[in-house]
Amino acid sequence: MKTEPLSILVRNPLAGVFVALTVIFALSALLSPYFLTPYNLSVIARGLAFVGLITIAQSMLMVLGELDLSLGVIGGLCGVISGILMVKLGIEPYSAMLLAVLLGACLGLFNGLLVTTLRLHSLVLTIGTAGIFGGANLVLTRGVAITGIPKEVQFLGRGDVLGVPVPFLIMLAALAVATFVMVKTPFGRYMYAIGNNQAGARMLGIRVDRIRLLVFVAAGAIAGLAGVLMVARLGTAQPSIGDTWVLAPIAASVIGGVATTGGVGSPIGAIFGAGIIAVIENIIVLFGVSPYWQGIVSGAIVVLAISFDAISRRYLRRENG
Amino acid sequence: MAYLETHGLGRDFPGVTALDGVDLKIELGRTHILAGENGAGKSTLVKILTGTDQASRGRVLVDGRDPAEDPTLYKNIAYVPQELNLFPQMSVAENLFMPFSRTGHGGALVDRKALVEEARTYLDRFGIEADPRALVAHISVSDQQLLQIARACTNAEMKVLILDEPTSSLTRVEVERVFKVIRALLDRDHAIVFISHKMEEVFEIGDDYTVLRNGEKVDSGRIADITEADLIRAMSGRDLSFEEHFRPETTVGEAIMEVRGLTGARFEDISFDLRKGEILGFAGLVGAGRSEVMQTIFGFQKAKAGSVTVAGKPWALNDTSRSVAGGMLYLSEERKHHGIFPLLSLRENIGISLLSLTTGPLGISDRKERGAVQEIIDAYGIRTAGMGKRIAELSGGNQQKAIIGRAMATRPRVLIFDEPTKGIDIRTKTEIYRIMKRLAEEGVGVILVSSELNELKKCASRIITMHNGRITGDFAATDTNNETLVGAIFGTEAKADEN
């Protein structure tokens, strides 16, 4: 069999983004002596954990052909609710966190029910529900952080196991579960089928709406988990948690090979994409780029990354007829 | 010298030669039939002729000049793809002249009045009945097909018009409208390249022909000098008994499915029995409501009234997953929209119906899935470079075989084929007929919806005709002549019966 130099990239869509991540990682290590220090790496990993959880949730929805712009706000609302439950209502902290995650699942259910029963466009609907959830957050907190989160749960956000940040491990566990479900179970196959061709999936007797609903629920729960872990990390329930979790996970998913139109890609690819963004943002800080310029630089690099990806795909397709 | 010629045209893709040494001569004022099975290289050839792909070897000559050196020559060649490629939410007139700059309607503002006025002349010329201001989504399929041809002809420099299966979703009467347009274009000294799998049309409209097989030209000449059998032999490379019948040879048993008074959005009071051991054909015009009836029985569309029983038990309507679980499958004519998952591999497309066999406690087993999918690939003769290939890259016939193979694996009790051979070459058609026959003989209830009378007469034991949402006749296939059937399809015969 003839091997084309780039054929591995065609056969395995993950290879491209993995190579890109490795190259950016190596370049960063060469460019900055601080990059590979354990402290810096753990900063990257801890930051990646939270955006990463949202990225997993968003990429699952994107494979179905849906987008949920309220995931970040769900994270924020669940975070402050967990704070209120444990600090103001004195509920046992772990139970409070669990309840908050369940709330995330319920908010996902709310989105999912509206999308599936009324046949709404998820992107537009979740602009609306994001307003509702975000507003509820402000009504409950009046914009003021809830302090006094018990020390015992802060380990989940701040702690390390063998030098690896705990939230990063939790994100990896969520990634493993999501990947197993999507790659190895019928449920996952049905997700891809729905993302490819919803009518075709119905024709095969797949319970399309039930699966879409369940993925919205799972995404909401994961977003809630991210919010709760962020509270554990900060030690306070900030109303602003989740503000930056809206666009980066979508960009990360696209960089990682998940199409906004659905049907292709995987959470692993999306996490590689999130890794690329995290490393780039880190190296910008290490270089001391003025904070005013950081948005421009990181935005430009995302544009470059997806353009490069699109061009290489087109080139590969031409080679393969 | 012919107007459009190719000399030793070849096109290589990694690992595959799609075209090799193809010589072609297209003359003005004549219809040239481009014949070949799915995957014979017709599409690749058309892409090179229209400039969307470049040849690896050989050359194209348009009016004696090479378009590779002068790309403006490509403007003389227009192409109408098989799939409708219109803007459904824009008006007929807008569709006709898009892009406006090409057709002299450019400028900062679009003059809608002028657009509509000029559109009328085209619509008259092409016999399109729709209003130029109507949305394309609201006009008939045959008008849409003609509109695509008319749009290609708004290009004033067009000399050669390539039509890729322009009649595949049209009924006999509508085909006549397309042929009228073709004849008018020939009178204006245009050349037509006509791609079709329907033999009667090929012999009716064709002047010259070229047959491709496996990327090579195997035969060419005048249609008047070749018989249907010879043309089919040239395309398939072997003898096919195209007069063969595929009716089940078993005796007809008890009813598997009984439909009573079924009513839906576009049909009323449909009652019939599907019996064990028969292939039940459904004939009718496009829009007669046949697909709607089947999709309603299957649960894909909502039923308003009526009941269905399968094996004596009431059948739940409005739920496709219960239908599938209960052993009923519907194979849609819309392969692209209802059948395949285009971005997934052949393996995943087939494997999706085998998951109950291939999933163990550790999830879907790679090994089991490969084995089960390979069995289907072998059993149904699906030609592919490997099961990891995206299904969208396979030819239409192979996609259809994958869909059928996948359906068989679920061991259905009732199987509904809706236009299963649309856009599929003759050899694959025969294979599909054999599969239907075998299933019926094994006791599966088989329904065949088809717009080709020949196909129904070849395969069906019994033919039910529909017109305008109602059943107009129920005939044994062996002792029915075409006139009676056509009468029932057009609703004339039935009215006489009712009165």
Side-chain angles (χ1 to χ4, degrees):
Chain A
M1 192 172 155
K2 206 162 69 173
T3 46
E4 304 283 321
L6 291 169
S7 65
I8 179 86
L9 295 186
V10 186
R11 258 180 279 130
N12 191 348
L14 280 183
V17 62
F18 182 71
V19 168
L21 178 59
T22 315
V23 168
I24 289 171
F25 198 87
L27 276 178
S28 305
L30 284 175
L31 289 172
S32 166
Y34 305 108
F35 182 76
L36 278 183
T37 56
Y39 173 74
N40 188 52
L41 289 179
S42 89
V43 166
I44 296 177
R46 205 177 297 271
L48 182 57
F50 301 99
V51 176
L53 281 169
I54 304 292
T55 302
I56 293 168
Q58 192 67 271
S59 63
M60 284 161 53
L61 285 163
M62 284 169 73
V63 164
L64 280 179
E66 311 286 347
L67 266 180
D68 188 343
L69 294 188
S70 69
L71 288 178
V73 193
I74 290 177
L77 182 58
C78 293
V80 300
I81 295 272
S82 75
I84 291 171
L85 290 176
M86 48 181 116
V87 176
K88 302 211 168 146
L89 301 179
I91 291 174
E92 196 272 321
Y94 285 108
S95 310
M97 292 175 86
L98 188 64
L99 284 174
V101 171
L102 284 177
L103 172 71
C106 291
L107 299 178
L109 180 71
F110 180 70
N111 282 335
L113 278 176
L114 284 171
V115 167
T116 53
T117 55
L118 297 180
R119 316 253 149 239
L120 300 181
H121 194 294
S122 57
L123 171 72
V124 181
L125 170 80
T126 54
I127 290 175
T129 55
I132 299 172
F133 304 156
N137 181 334
L138 291 180
V139 168
L140 288 171
T141 60
R142 302 195 175 276
V144 182
I146 297 153
T147 53
I149 301 298
K151 282 268 181 294
E152 52 178 308
V153 294
Q154 291 188 12
F155 173 75
L156 289 176
R158 295 182 171 183
D160 294 286
V161 171
L162 303 172
V164 185
V166 172
F168 187 72
L169 292 173
I170 293 174
M171 187 275 282
L172 286 184
L175 179 64
V177 172
T179 305
F180 178 80
V181 169
M182 291 177 73
V183 177
K184 293 297 272 186
T185 69
F187 186 90
R189 282 294 171 83
Y190 297 156
M191 286 171 65
Y192 283 99
I194 293 167
N196 266 267
N197 184 349
Q198 230 181 75
R202 262 186 77 206
M203 285 271 177
L204 281 187
I206 295 171
R207 295 196 182 276
V208 171
D209 282 348
R210 183 183 295 180
I211 288 172
R212 290 166 75 207
L213 192 63
L214 282 170
V215 176
F216 269 101
V217 170
I222 295 172
L225 177 66
V228 167
L229 291 176
M230 195 62 171
V231 169
R233 176 190 172 182
L234 297 173
T236 60
Q238 303 270 3
S240 63
I241 288 171
D243 284 359
T244 57
W245 294 350
V246 181
L247 297 179
I250 299 173
S253 299
V254 173
I255 292 172
V258 185
T260 47
T261 45
V264 280
S266 68
I268 295 192
I271 287 295
F272 286 159
I276 290 175
I277 295 178
V279 170
I280 288 169
E281 285 180 345
N282 177 260
I283 201 78
I284 289 171
V285 174
L286 289 186
F287 270 119
V289 175
S290 146
Y292 299 114
W293 278 88
Q294 280 175 16
I296 293 180
V297 174
S298 65
I301 292 175
V302 168
V303 171
L304 273 178
I306 59 169
S307 309
F308 176 76
D309 186 56
I311 291 165
S312 61
R313 260 169 229 263
R314 194 168 312 160
Y315 167 76
L316 289 169
R317 192 158 38 213
R318 192 164 306 156
E319 284 294 292
N320 285 275
Chain B
M1 159 164 276
Y3 183 78
L4 174 63
E5 295 190 352
T6 71
H7 296 282
L9 211 60
R11 177 69 171 106
D12 300 323
F13 295 111
V16 199
T17 300
L19 273 187
D20 198 22
V22 171
D23 297 330
L24 188 69
K25 281 186 173 32
I26 310 282
E27 292 178 50
L28 294 181
R30 299 178 70 83
T31 302
H32 195 107
I33 304 294
L34 188 55
E37 300 191 323
N38 297 327
K42 293 177 308 229
S43 314
T44 310
L45 178 59
V46 167
K47 278 184 189 161
I48 294 172
L49 292 179
T50 51
T52 49
D53 192 15
Q54 301 299 321
S56 309
R57 292 178 300 285
R59 56 194 210 135
V60 179
L61 290 178
V62 179
D63 208 5
R65 285 175 295 155
D66 190 344
E69 285 153 23
D70 179 8
T72 57
L73 288 167
Y74 285 124
K75 286 188 181 166
N76 301 113
I77 297 166
Y79 169 59
V80 178
Q82 179 186 1
E83 304 280 342
L84 287 172
N85 191 14
L86 297 161
F87 305 102
Q89 297 301 334
M90 298 180 83
S91 75
V92 168
E94 286 167 324
N95 267 277
L96 197 51
F97 297 114
M98 199 85 84
F100 298 134
S101 58
R102 173 179 65 86
T103 48
H105 290 276
L109 298 172
V110 176
D111 182 351
R112 271 173 210 281
K113 233 178 180 171
L115 212 60
V116 167
E117 280 317 304
E118 200 187 335
R120 282 190 206 282
T121 64
Y122 274 97
L123 299 189
D124 286 346
R125 203 179 123 199
F126 287 87
I128 299 171
E129 290 149 6
D131 187 279
R133 288 162 302 188
L135 287 189
V136 161
H138 298 158
I139 70 175
S140 71
V141 176
S142 54
D143 271 353
Q144 291 181 9
Q145 192 68 51
L146 289 171
L147 182 62
Q148 286 220 121
I149 298 176
R151 179 171 67 177
C153 298
T154 57
N155 167 7
E157 283 151 282
M158 179 199 73
K159 297 298 276 179
V160 180
L161 177 64
I162 304 173
L163 299 174
D164 192 351
E165 297 208 41
T167 61
S168 64
S169 53
L170 301 186
T171 57
R172 192 53 232 176
V173 190
E174 294 164 336
V175 169
E176 211 39 63
R177 295 172 68 191
V178 175
F179 282 3
K180 234 171 117 183
V181 165
I182 289 179
R183 292 196 186 100
L185 287 167
L186 294 175
D187 288 341
R188 289 179 172 226
D189 210 28
H190 293 301
I192 305 287
V193 176
F194 190 82
I195 301 174
S196 175
H197 292 305
K198 296 189 187 170
M199 282 300 129
E200 44 178 321
E201 291 175 10
V202 161
F203 280 88
E204 187 180 338
I205 197 77
D207 296 308
D208 308 313
Y209 70 91
T210 296
V211 181
L212 296 182
R213 190 167 78 225
N214 297 329
E216 291 175 34
K217 187 187 91 173
V218 289
D219 194 10
S220 66
R222 308 254 143 161
I223 284 285
D225 302 337
I226 190 169
T227 64
E228 187 172 333
D230 285 336
L231 187 60
I232 290 173
R233 197 171 301 127
M235 283 161 60
S236 61
R238 63 177 186 195
D239 270 309
L240 284 177
S241 42
F242 64 101
E243 286 300 335
E244 199 182 331
H245 284 275
F246 299 91
R247 292 189 203 112
E249 283 153 22
T250 41
T251 47
V252 174
E254 77 275 24
I256 301 176
M257 180 169 79
E258 293 162 46
V259 177
R260 292 292 174 267
L262 195 67
T263 300
R266 290 175 65 188
F267 59 88
E268 265 181 287
D269 195 21
I270 301 295
S271 300
F272 65 89
D273 284 357
L274 170 65
R275 294 193 287 259
K276 204 166 199 159
E278 70 175 355
I279 295 179
L280 178 57
F282 269 80
L285 302 172
V286 171
R290 295 166 300 162
S291 299
E292 288 81 1
V293 168
M294 298 309 153
Q295 293 185 2
T296 306
I297 294 172
F298 179 61
F300 193 74
Q301 293 191 14
K302 290 245 182 300
K304 283 186 178 166
S307 67
V308 176
T309 52
V310 174
K313 293 197 190 90
W315 187 251
L317 295 167
N318 303 336
D319 186 345
T320 56
S321 34
R322 286 174 76 173
S323 296
V324 172
M328 183 190 292
L329 281 179
Y330 170 78
L331 304 184
S332 172
E333 68 174 310
E334 304 267 351
R335 212 159 38 225
K336 207 163 122 189
H337 297 118
H338 292 158
I340 63 165
F341 303 107
L343 303 174
L344 299 184
S345 64
L346 175 63
R347 172 181 157 189
E348 289 163 315
N349 267 278
I350 295 177
I352 193 139
S353 289
L354 312 174
L355 292 173
S356 57
L357 305 172
T358 55
T359 308
L362 294 173
I364 300 162
S365 153
D366 232 49
R367 188 180 51 80
K368 277 190 196 158
E369 185 172 74
R370 279 179 182 285
V373 169
Q374 189 61 49
E375 268 177 36
I376 289 179
I377 290 177
D378 295 341
Y380 292 90
I382 301 165
R383 284 181 283 276
T384 173
M387 65 173 77
K389 220 169 162 53
R390 277 193 182 175
I391 194 158
E393 293 169 29
L394 267 58
S395 70
N398 282 313
Q399 289 179 7
Q400 187 70 314
K401 284 193 268 184
I403 290 171
I404 293 175
R406 161 175 93 186
M408 294 312 114
T410 63
R411 308 225 149 268
R413 288 194 287 171
V414 175
L415 198 49
I416 306 167
F417 291 86
D418 196 348
E419 306 280 4
T421 62
K422 186 172 159 187
I424 280 174
D425 62 64
I426 287 163
R427 186 205 307 217
T428 312
K429 270 184 189 175
T430 311
E431 288 171 29
I432 291 172
Y433 298 157
R434 288 211 180 95
I435 293 168
M436 289 194 294
K437 179 177 182 219
R438 201 186 65 216
L439 282 168
E441 288 176 349
E442 286 169 2
V444 177
V446 178
I447 291 179
L448 168 64
V449 176
S450 175
S451 294
E452 282 185 62
L453 265 193
N454 272 342
E455 182 165 289
L456 287 169
K457 297 206 76 177
K458 246 183 227 184
C459 304
S461 326
R462 199 152 57 91
I463 299 174
I464 290 178
T465 52
M466 280 187 69
H467 177 76
N468 228 346
R470 286 178 171 276
I471 288 183
T472 55
D474 186 339
F475 307 94
T478 38
D479 48 43
T480 308
N481 59 21
N482 278 3
E483 280 90 290
T484 329
L485 274 176
V486 170
I489 286 170
F490 282 93
T492 48
E493 200 86 341
K495 280 196 187 101
D497 281 354
E498 276 168 13
N499 293 338

